[in-house]
């Protein structure tokens, strides 16, 4: 298939690009590079020895998106493009809704104009808000206790996709709710490259391990978990990428929603311990106040993806730490090296 990746230059998009190309697909990427560099795509080309067609276009630009669809014959779309900082979304909610919700509406409009009906969408476990059950399954309520405009933008898009599919039965949509993506490609050539101070745990830990930052601030040790620190379901980005391939293969009429996680949770202290062991570096830490909006525990019920997509995450937390460390050592300043 010829597949359009919106936001394909980003962290998850670039890793998915490698796996799609290796599975024989042709790729077209739209990205405005607001949170990425075209170097990631050049490295994907180097890994796969194949070309990627790249359009530097803002997905909110209707005529720009139309031009791409008229110059390429697209079979399916994977929609990664979006802004993803929880903090920034609290400060600038309008920009988040405009960029995330607004550009999805434009994408859906142009897909309809060009008769493209297959769509895989990057959603997030954040739509579960405060999970009402653990492990959290796709049938759990969404929307209760979502703490940021970022999270609400994902929930709104899910609703829009559901409404669109009710009105157009030809649409085949998979909504993928990612848990906590971590890791990097095993080559060490592509990985997560935060532009500012990382707000997610793994990139921060990795920068402490290499000496770019002094210590990890652990957000709270009063949660009802084994060691008091927050528990999350960390999924290797290459496993996540494979989940997209399976979702594409199993697309069917209507909207199907899948959790992509491992089904197992690790605490913040367990993650730091694993990274320290794998890297052989000391990782200083300090327990500080809990971060507002954080939940104690979140991990996925992964049975639906296993049953319907024949997909399970195969890589371990140690694998992910090893791959992040290789990426960090080879690219201490990310794609700027
Ligand atoms: P990323 O920032 O690395 O990639 C997103 C890409 O989209 C970037 O390359 C950015 O330049 C591009 N983009 C943003 N707005 C655009 C626009 N209007 N037009 C064109 N391009 C635009 O983020 P990521 O980690 O790869 O995340 C990909 C998707 O997965 C996002 O939608 C994110 O919300 C979702 N997600 C990510 C995580 C995570 O922890 N990384 C977790 C759950 C869901
Ligand atoms: C966060 C976002 C979520 C988003 C996801 C992926 C919040 C409240 N949630 O999820 O919406 O989809 O990232 O981008 O921001 N931690 C520390 N010290 C740090 C960083 C994190 O102790 O410096 C802890 C957190 O308290 C949490 C765990 O590590 O317990 C994981 O944090 P993080 O990587 O930010 O992911 P989430 O909070 O799960």
């Amino acid at each position: 298939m010829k597949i359009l990746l919106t936001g394909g230059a980003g962290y998850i998009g670039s890793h998915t690009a490698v796996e799609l190309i290796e599975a024989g697909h042709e790729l077209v990427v739209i990205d405005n590079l607001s949170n990425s560099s075209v170097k990631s795509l050049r490295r994907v080309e180097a890994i796969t020895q194949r070309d990627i067609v790249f359009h530097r276009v803002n997905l909110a630009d209707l005529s720009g998106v139309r031009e791409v669809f008229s110059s390429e014959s697209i079979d399916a779309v994977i929609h990664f493009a979006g802004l993803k900082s929880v903090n920034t979304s609290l400060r600038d909610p309008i920009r988040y809704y405009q960029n995330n919700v607004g550009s999805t509406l434009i994408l859906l409009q142009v897909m309809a104009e060009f008769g493209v009906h297959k769509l895989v969408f990057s959603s997030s476990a954040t739509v579960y808000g405060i999970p009402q059950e653990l492990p959290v399954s796709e049938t759990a309520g969404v929307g209760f206790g979502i703490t940021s405009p970022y999270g609400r933008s994902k929930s709104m898009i899910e609703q829009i996709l559901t409404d669109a599919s009710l009105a157009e039965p030809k649409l085949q949509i998979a909504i993928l709710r990612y848990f906590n993506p971590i890791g990097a490609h095993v080559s060490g050539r592509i990985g997560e490259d935060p532009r500012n101070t990382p707000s997610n745990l793994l990139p921060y830990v990795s920068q402490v391990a290499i000496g770019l930052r002094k210590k990890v601030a652990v957000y709270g040790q009063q949660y009802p978990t084994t060691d008091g620190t927050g528990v999350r379901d960390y999924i290797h980005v290459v496993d996540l990428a494979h989940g997209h391939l399976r979702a594409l293969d199993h697309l069917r009429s209507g909207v199907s929603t899948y959790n992509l996680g491992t089904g197992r949770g690790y605490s913040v202290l367990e993650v730091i311990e694993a990274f320290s062991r794998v890297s052989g570096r000391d990782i200083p830490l300090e327990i500080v106040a809990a971060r507002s909006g954080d939940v104690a525990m979140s991990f996925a019920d992964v049975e639906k993806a296993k049953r319907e997509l024949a997909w399970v995450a195969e890589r371990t937390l140690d694998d992910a730490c090893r791959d992040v460390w290789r990426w960090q050592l080879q690219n201490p300043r990310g794609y700027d090296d």
Side-chain angles (χ1 to χ4, degrees):
M1 286 199 286
K2 189 181 262 194
I3 302 170
L4 172 68
L5 307 187
T6 75
Y11 170 48
I12 301 170
S14 56
H15 287 81
T16 306
V18 171
E19 306 308 313
L20 288 167
I21 292 173
E22 287 180 351
H25 296 292
E26 245 181 279
L27 300 191
V28 176
V29 168
I30 287 183
D31 202 303
N32 64 357
L33 305 181
S34 58
N35 194 40
S36 54
S37 155
V38 75
K39 288 182 194 163
S40 63
L41 293 176
R42 299 296 162 245
R43 297 215 184 158
V44 171
E45 291 179 326
I47 293 168
T48 58
Q49 296 291 299
R50 293 268 301 277
D51 290 339
I52 295 173
V53 177
F54 173 60
H55 298 269
R56 185 169 186 172
V57 167
N58 188 334
L59 207 56
D61 166 11
L62 177 60
S63 59
V65 178
R66 272 194 185 127
E67 260 175 52
V68 174
F69 275 75
S70 59
S71 65
E72 314 279 353
S73 171
I74 306 292
D75 298 305
V77 178
I78 307 185
H79 180 29
F80 297 104
L83 297 172
K84 62 166 183 175
S85 159
V86 168
N87 279 336
T88 317
S89 79
L90 287 161
R91 287 197 303 274
D92 200 350
I94 307 302
R95 180 165 153 245
Y96 265 66
Y97 290 124
Q98 233 156 25
N99 191 79
N100 293 3
V101 181
S103 64
T104 302
L105 291 173
I106 286 180
L107 176 65
L108 289 170
Q109 180 184 337
V110 178
M111 284 176 63
E113 287 171 9
F114 286 83
V116 179
H117 301 302
K118 295 177 189 291
L119 176 68
V120 175
F121 172 62
S122 301
S123 190
S124 166
T126 194
V127 300
Y128 293 118
I130 303 164
Q132 300 297 292
E133 58 181 38
L134 283 170
V136 59
S137 80
E138 293 85 349
T139 53
V142 296
F144 173 74
I146 298 180
T147 48
S148 71
Y150 162 70
R152 274 186 288 278
S153 78
K154 290 291 177 193
S155 183
M156 285 177 193
I157 293 168
E158 289 197 0
Q159 191 58 61
I160 289 167
L161 295 177
T162 305
D163 289 341
S165 86
L166 290 173
E168 174 48 271
K170 286 191 194 139
L171 276 172
Q172 302 181 349
I173 299 177
I175 291 175
L176 305 182
R177 293 181 180 151
Y178 311 157
F179 279 66
N180 289 63
I182 58 167
H185 190 258
V186 70
S187 65
R189 301 284 292 148
I190 56 172
E192 188 170 9
D193 182 18
R195 295 219 151 165
N196 306 305
T197 308
S199 55
N200 293 119
L201 181 63
L202 251 290
Y204 202 101
V205 167
S206 171
Q207 293 191 2
V208 172
I210 205 164
L212 289 172
R213 300 183 190 278
K214 283 207 179 75
K215 58 186 169 188
V216 182
V218 175
Y219 297 141
Q221 201 175 15
Q222 78 305 335
Y223 290 111
T225 60
T226 44
D227 60 24
T229 65
V231 166
R232 296 289 184 278
D233 184 338
Y234 296 94
I235 173 165
H236 196 296
V237 67
V238 175
D239 282 330
L240 193 68
H242 289 146
H244 292 74
L245 266 77
R246 295 295 168 85
L248 264 181
D249 287 346
H250 289 81
L251 278 175
R252 54 172 190 228
S253 295
V255 171
S256 309
T257 302
Y258 300 99
N259 284 341
L260 294 186
T262 67
R264 124 142 244 201
Y266 286 96
S267 74
V268 177
L269 295 182
E270 284 172 325
V271 170
I272 296 173
E273 200 273 324
F275 204 95
S276 173
R277 181 162 29 78
V278 162
S279 63
R281 301 286 175 102
D282 213 28
I283 302 180
L285 62 87
E286 182 186 4
I287 309 288
V288 301
R291 180 171 65 180
S292 105
D294 273 359
V295 296
M297 284 202 270
S298 166
F299 52 94
D301 181 330
V302 292
E303 288 308 309
K304 188 176 178 198
K306 191 172 170 183
R307 196 172 59 242
E308 294 187 12
L309 305 179
W311 173 89
V312 286
E314 290 169 354
R315 291 160 180 79
T316 64
L317 176 62
D318 277 19
D319 293 335
C321 292
R322 221 172 276 122
D323 293 338
V324 170
W325 186 232
R326 188 180 305 106
W327 155 253
Q328 181 76 73
L329 284 174
Q330 292 182 21
N331 313 268
R333 280 175 305 278
Y335 291 113
D336 286 341
D337 283 308

